[in-house]
Structure formats: structure tokens, C-alpha cells
Amino acid sequence: MISHDILIVGGGLTGLRAAVGLCDRFNVGLVSKVYPTRSHSIAAQGGINAPLTNNPDSRDDSWEKHTFDTVKGSDYLADQDAAEIMCREAAPIVYEMEHWGCPFSRFPDGTIAQRPFGGAGYPRTCYSADITGHVLLNTLYERAVAKGVKIYPEWFVTALCIDEGRCHGVVVLDIRTGELIPVGAGTTFFGTGGYGRVFQHSTNALINNGSGIGMAYTAGAPLKDMEFVQFHPTCLIGTSILMTEGCRGEGGYLVNNKGERFMQRYAPKAMELAPRDIVSRCIQTEINEGRGFEHPLGTYIQLDLRHLGEKKILERLPGIRNISIDFIGIDPILDPIPIRPAQHYSMGGIDVNSGCASEVAGFYAGGECSCVSVHGANRLGGNSLLETIVFGKLGSQAIAEDPEVSKRRPDERALLKTKDAVEAKLRKLASPGRERPALLQAELSAVMSEKVGVFRTREELEQALQKLTEIKKRYRDAGVSSTSRHMNYELVGAVELEYMLEVAHTIVLGALLREESRGSHFRLDFNARNDKGWLKHTIARLGPDGAPAISFKEVAITRYQPMERKY
Ligand SMILES: Cc1cc2nc3c(=O)[nH]c(=O)nc-3n(C[C@H](O)[C@H](O)[C@H](O)COP(=O)(O)OP(=O)(O)OC[C@H]3O[C@@H](n4cnc5c(N)ncnc54)[C@H](O)[C@@H]3O)c2cc1C
């Protein structure tokens, strides 16, 4: 049986950084369902936050100020000790990436360039034009290859094996050969990314469906704060492709059909650079109240970059210009970009501590699939790339320091039992069923975007729950059209759908329970934050009836007492 001391699942920034941190001392394997450089990290545009004080306007910046902005941005739900750890690590991490060869954009004096981003007191977002994820991921990938990390590309993890409170590894489907392979590990680390595609309108790649989060949950690891889903304010209508916050960081305006920069009414100081939860609600309100523009692809608001001028757009936002031309036929040098909010980021995830350890022995998680929690109820732009690399590093350090790490041996019997269960599942999915998984997924994502969006109500959430329960039932009768296991992406999708349904269930139930409005979770029927009742994390565990059982966990408050958020 294939076995590693440490098995990493995920070839994005988190997984690669963890692998680089461990491979000198341990036998490390890295599994990814796509070639690592196709992970969603590659698509990150705007930048990574670190208080480097390179921008003339950010000379007074510090990790303390970065921590405060992060905590305030989180609507006080972030664990403040964890946010502090991340922000202290930010500058060293960015310099480490620079020394490993990452080509950041530069100021004329040669220092790493920084731009303003939403919810930040200073311009602290380091970038490489609008392809920051691309340069970071390639830098880490090159390093992982140079260090000889054993990589298994296009290996799809079908299940996580947890037995008697201990993790023993995973069961993999080799997408190319169709073989089902148990992979044992003393320690398993998930960097499996977010669940964006549980929603119909999402900036995320099609591969981001949260199967890692779902399989951790069904195997017995609890999830945290799943009701907090980030909707990005500026996504191209029709495709929901992201128009980076860097557009507004560079000075872009948001304009309604009256020609107003409407953010003036909502956030007079921060304007377009208020945090994402707030800007998304403002845009949605403008649209709902009839101040949007009409288009066959939907009602929209304008993101106007024209006043930045051709030179700046070509230099700082070339990718945005190309995407606008290719996908909607608009050149932002000449015309405003039509945008509206769409799902973007998963604040919630696998419940872990600041060393990425879950409550299950030998099971760790980091990056977007995890919830440490550093983002609380709303993540600031630029803090996610930071989280992936910081916690990839800190997770690898915590694993290396775990006294059990070299002693833990996977239990082969437990793994073979999991493999048998997956084999039975695949056989069932490959026998004729009345329900097509892709259609069920389309129904799921449609109801999530419609009823579990920027604004939520009990009534709509209950309707979503009802629909979800119905789809879960119908899934039992799902079957794929080809029984072949060779390159059968329909089969892969069918397996992932089960996990997506579980992820969606925890989101909807968390949202129903949380009778307040905090950060990205806005209830029209409970439209204020309620610190007395709800300054707490929700923890979802798979209950015996197949539904999530929700409990609560305290928020770590160290320096900053919750205040009203004003921008
Ligand atoms: C369009 C876009 C732009 C963004 N821009 C920014 C930005 O400018 N700044 C910022 O801070 N954040 C940004 N973000 C967010 C940030 O990019 C992500 O949160 C971050 O890159 C996630 O990294 P990760 O390592 O956690 O996961 P990912 O990069 O998503 O990687 C997940 C990995 O897990 C593997 N995987 C998943 N499931 C399985 C399975 N079942 N079996 C095997 N392998 C599996 C995948 O193959 C992949 O390798 C952006 C996000 C998007 C979508």
C-alpha cells in the first residue's frame, strides 16, 4: 500500500507551502485532483496583504494596525489571537516569497509595490499587476519540484479515513486509470480550497466545490462558521468572473443609473473601499431599489475605470481589461464594466487551531477549506492569499513539532474498509439511476444563489432547506451515463455532489439558526448585530439523523472590544 509520513491533499498555495515546509525531514506525498498549477490560487488577482510600509501613504502601518483592520473587518468574529499571529507573519512571509523568486510589481525605488484595498487603514496590498496568485503559485510550485516533493496529479480523493478518532489517510481515484487506491498516512493535511460552486453565481473555478470540506465533515471532523459566505461586490455580469478589488484600489468608481457614486450615501469615508460585505449590500440595494442598469444578462452597476487612463489600466490591470474585452466585449479604457455581486469566498470551513490541527488526531487543514478563524464573519481582500501561505507554513511547523508525527502509523484495515465503502458507492453511481448528478447540482446551486445570498430571511432559508432535503433524497437515485472509470469526470462530479450537498446543508442550517446580522451574513428579519446572543462561532457536526448538529464555541477576544463598524 502507498504510504507517506505526511500526505497533503491540495496543490494550491496552502498545500504547496505545507509540503515545502515538511519535505526535508519527512516522507511527504501531495495529491491533487488537478495539476497543481491549475488550482484556484492561480486565479487570484489583486494581491496579498503585509504591512511593509513601502507606499508613501503607509509609513505608519504595522502588524498591530493590520490586526485591528482584520478584526474590525471580521465584524469581531475572528479569533483575535489567530488574527494577530497571521498579521505578525505577513511581512516575513512576503519577503520569503520575494527571496524565493516571486516577481512582485515594484515602486520606482525598487521596493515591493503596495495598493489600497477595502477595509484597510493603509495601502498594504502587495501585488504583481493583476496576476498575484499566478506568480505566487508558480514560485511555490517550482520550489516544491526543486525539493523533490512527490506529487500525484489528477488523483481525486474520494474519502477521508477517520477511525476511532484518528486519521489514517485517504482513498483516491486515479482519474486517468480509474483505479481506486488507498493512501495511508500518519498525518493528513487538507489544503483543498473553498466551496464556491455550491452557488450558481460564483467567481470560483469549476473545481472549487468544497468536496474536501464535505468529506472531512462526513468522516467526523467538525466545521466552523459555515453560514458566513463572502459575496464579492464586483463580478462581471453573465459569467461572474471576478473584477479584482484592485480596480477600486487603483481608484475605480461604482456608479448607478442616476450617475451617482452611491457609496457616498453608505460609507462616506471609505467610499468604494469599504469592506466587501458592505459594498455588496450597497450594490444589491441599488439594484433592488431600481437604480441599476438593465442588460439581457441581468441588472447591473457600473465599475468605471475610465478616469484612471489608458497607461495605468494597461500597467496595473491588464488582465481585467483582457477579460472584459473577451467575455463581454467592453474595453474598460473606453466604457464602464457591468458588475454585480457573486459568491466569492468561504469564511467557514474545517475547524482547526492556529497550528492547523483539527480535533481528530493526525488530521490537519489550512487555507480556504479551513476556519482558524482569522476572517470571522467577513474576510478583507488580500488576507486570503496571506492566510494560505502563513498557515501552510505554520501548519507544517506544528506537524513537525507534533511528538506523535513519526510514531503514528496508518491502520491498513481501516483504510481498506473505507475503500470498500467507496467501491460500493462508485458501483451504485455507475448503475442506471433516474437522476443525473449534473442536473441535481444545477438545482442545488440555483437555490443557494437565490435563497442564501447577500440578503437572507427565515422564509427563504426554510425554502432552501426544503429544496436541499428534496435533492438529498433524489441523490440516492442518482446514476451516471457511462460505467467506465477511465477519465470519467461525470463520476467524479457525482461523488463530489454528495459532499456539496452536505456543505450546503451546514451553510443553510447555520444561516437559519443565526438570528442576527454580522459581516457577510445579513438577515432582513434580524438586521442588527447581537453580541449578547451571537458573539460566538457555530460548530457543525454530522448528526445521527444525517442533518448537522450545531453547537457553539467562544470567540477569542484579546485586545479589541467589539465596536460598531463605521467606514
Ligand atoms: C478569482 C479569484 C481571485 C482571488 N483573488 C484574491 C486576491 O487577490 N487576494 C487574496 O488574498 N485572495 C484572493 N482570492 C482567494 C484566494 O485565491 C483563495 O482563497 C486561495 O488561493 C485558496 O488557496 P488554497 O490553497 O486554500 O486552495 P486552492 O488554491 O483552491 O487549491 C485547492 C487544491 O485542492 C485540490 N483538491 C480539492 N479537492 C480535492 C479532492 N477531492 N481530491 C484531490 N484534490 C483536491 C485541488 O486540486 C487544488 O489543488 C481569490 C479567489 C478567486 C476565486
Side-chain angles (χ1 to χ4, degrees):
M1 191 173 71
I2 298 177
S3 186
H4 289 278
D5 295 338
I6 295 149
L7 181 71
I8 290 169
V9 182
L13 285 170
T14 313
L16 287 173
R17 183 60 186 83
V20 163
L22 287 161
C23 64
D24 289 339
R25 290 177 51 194
F26 302 96
N27 167 10
V28 175
L30 185 147
V31 169
S32 173
K33 68 178 177 177
V34 296
Y35 200 75
T37 47
R38 296 191 63 200
S39 306
H40 189 64
S41 293
I42 202 82
Q45 301 172 344
I48 175 168
N49 293 341
L52 303 187
T53 69
N54 293 344
N55 189 306
D57 295 331
S58 69
R59 298 287 185 237
D60 297 333
D61 203 3
S62 62
W63 66 261
E64 288 96 334
K65 287 174 179 159
H66 185 185
T67 307
F68 172 70
D69 289 342
T70 300
V71 169
K72 182 179 171 192
S74 82
D75 220 348
Y76 294 90
L77 193 72
D79 284 331
Q80 296 184 8
D81 48 355
E84 178 174 328
I85 290 171
M86 178 176 80
C87 297
R88 275 178 186 270
E89 285 285 337
I93 271 292
V94 167
Y95 286 132
E96 184 176 73
M97 291 303 293
E98 181 192 37
H99 296 163
W100 288 355
C102 183
F104 287 105
S105 291
R106 302 274 161 180
F107 282 138
D109 67 358
T111 56
I112 293 174
Q114 295 186 281
R115 57 166 53 125
F117 246 48
Y122 297 90
R124 69 165 72 95
T125 305
C126 311
Y127 61 91
S128 183
D130 53 5
I131 55 161
T132 312
H134 183 98
V135 296
L136 290 171
L137 191 67
N138 278 292
T139 303
L140 274 179
Y141 179 64
E142 280 169 18
R143 198 156 180 95
V145 171
K147 280 178 163 282
V149 172
K150 172 72 187 156
I151 295 175
Y152 303 93
E154 302 194 325
W155 275 29
F156 166 60
V157 173
T158 56
L160 177 70
C161 174
I162 295 177
D163 190 55
E164 298 192 354
R166 269 192 48 197
C167 183
H168 302 281
V170 299
V171 174
V172 155
L173 177 73
D174 180 340
I175 296 176
R176 196 169 53 86
T177 63
E179 200 185 342
L180 209 51
I181 306 165
V183 184
T187 301
T188 304
F189 180 102
F190 268 23
T192 52
Y195 54 65
R197 287 290 158 174
V198 167
F199 288 77
Q200 181 183 14
H201 304 295
S202 172
T203 63
N204 283 202
L206 294 174
I207 53 172
N208 287 19
N209 52 30
S211 63
I213 302 175
M215 70 183 70
Y217 167 77
T218 47
L223 308 183
K224 184 158 74 197
D225 290 342
M226 290 296 284
E227 60 272 31
F228 295 103
V229 179
Q230 179 160 83
F231 297 89
H232 197 290
T234 59
C235 311
L236 202 61
I237 56 166
T239 52
S240 299
I241 298 175
L242 181 74
M243 299 285 109
T244 172
E245 192 163 304
C247 295
R248 285 168 287 139
E250 295 296 346
Y253 297 155
L254 292 171
V255 179
N256 65 15
N257 71 10
K258 305 246 177 292
E260 294 170 317
R261 277 179 74 190
F262 54 86
M263 286 308 297
Q264 182 97 46
R265 272 186 275 121
Y266 302 98
K269 255 174 58 199
M271 294 289 287
E272 280 87 355
L273 287 178
R276 291 177 177 172
D277 56 335
I278 294 175
V279 182
S280 285
R281 280 196 289 278
C282 298
I283 293 177
Q284 198 60 52
T285 304
E286 293 296 303
I287 289 175
N288 293 353
E289 294 181 356
R291 291 186 292 278
F293 299 83
E294 294 305 328
H295 187 285
L297 291 172
T299 314
Y300 70 87
I301 286 295
Q302 291 182 337
L303 172 62
D304 196 349
L305 306 182
R306 288 174 298 179
H307 55 286
L308 304 182
E310 183 172 351
K311 183 169 178 286
K312 196 168 185 182
I313 292 175
L314 291 180
E315 192 182 293
R316 308 268 176 90
L317 302 164
I320 290 301
R321 176 171 183 251
N322 288 341
I323 292 170
S324 302
I325 292 173
D326 290 348
F327 286 87
I328 202 139
I330 283 175
D331 183 346
I333 294 174
L334 306 173
D335 291 297
I337 310 171
I339 55 89
R340 59 182 301 154
Q343 192 285 347
H344 179 59
Y345 182 80
S346 320
M347 260 84 67
I350 302 163
D351 180 24
V352 294
N353 66 18
S354 55
C356 299
S358 76
E359 68 172 35
V360 177
F363 180 56
Y364 290 71
E368 193 171 339
C369 72
S370 73
C371 179
V372 172
S373 118
V374 288
H375 310 303
N378 173 62
R379 167 176 80 83
L380 294 187
N383 264 357
S384 172
L385 289 179
L386 177 63
E387 176 193 22
T388 61
I389 307 180
V390 165
F391 289 100
K393 174 183 163 189
L394 296 182
S396 69
Q397 286 174 351
I399 291 170
E401 285 160 14
D402 180 348
E404 298 294 314
V405 68
S406 310
K407 294 186 215 146
R408 265 195 303 265
R409 291 277 165 268
D411 179 344
E412 227 174 275
R413 261 184 333 148
L415 268 164
L416 291 176
K417 215 168 100 192
T418 307
K419 181 182 174 228
D420 289 345
V422 174
E423 180 59 48
K425 194 169 9 178
L426 295 190
R427 283 223 182 108
K428 181 156 182 296
L429 283 169
S431 57
R434 281 191 306 242
E435 301 283 357
R436 281 279 168 273
L439 297 181
L440 291 180
Q441 181 179 334
E443 287 186 39
L444 165 71
S445 60
V447 76
M448 292 299 285
S449 273
E450 240 168 71
K451 311 272 184 201
V452 199
V454 174
F455 293 112
R456 301 166 171 185
T457 62
R458 164 166 294 279
E459 200 188 345
E460 290 201 326
L461 291 169
E462 276 171 351
Q463 288 165 357
L465 188 61
Q466 204 178 0
K467 179 76 186 170
L468 184 64
T469 315
E470 175 212 308
I471 301 174
K472 267 183 141 177
K473 269 201 199 116
R474 286 164 57 199
Y475 176 80
R476 290 188 213 139
D477 194 19
V480 298
S481 47
S482 162
T483 54
S484 166
R485 292 229 175 137
H486 166 69
M487 299 298 277
N488 190 342
Y489 281 97
E490 192 190 10
L491 185 62
V492 171
V495 174
E496 293 197 292
L497 178 58
E498 181 185 353
Y499 296 127
M500 293 173 85
L501 288 163
E502 296 300 342
V503 165
H505 205 159
T506 61
I507 296 171
V508 176
L509 208 70
L512 248 177
L513 272 185
R514 189 174 281 274
E515 295 186 332
E516 66 155 355
S517 289
R518 182 185 297 274
S520 66
H521 170 70
F522 198 96
R523 287 278 300 256
L524 288 168
D525 43 356
F526 297 93
N527 63 6
R529 197 174 82 194
N530 171 0
D531 286 339
K532 243 189 174 160
W534 285 102
L535 183 54
K536 53 192 178 189
H537 301 294
T538 51
I539 301 290
R541 287 168 201 277
L542 182 62
D545 58 350
I550 308 258
S551 58
F552 303 100
K553 201 171 188 171
E554 241 177 83
V555 175
I557 293 175
T558 53
R559 298 165 183 244
Y560 312 107
Q561 283 309 312
M563 292 186 301
E564 192 192 344
R565 275 165 91 215
K566 281 202 185 130
Y567 288 96

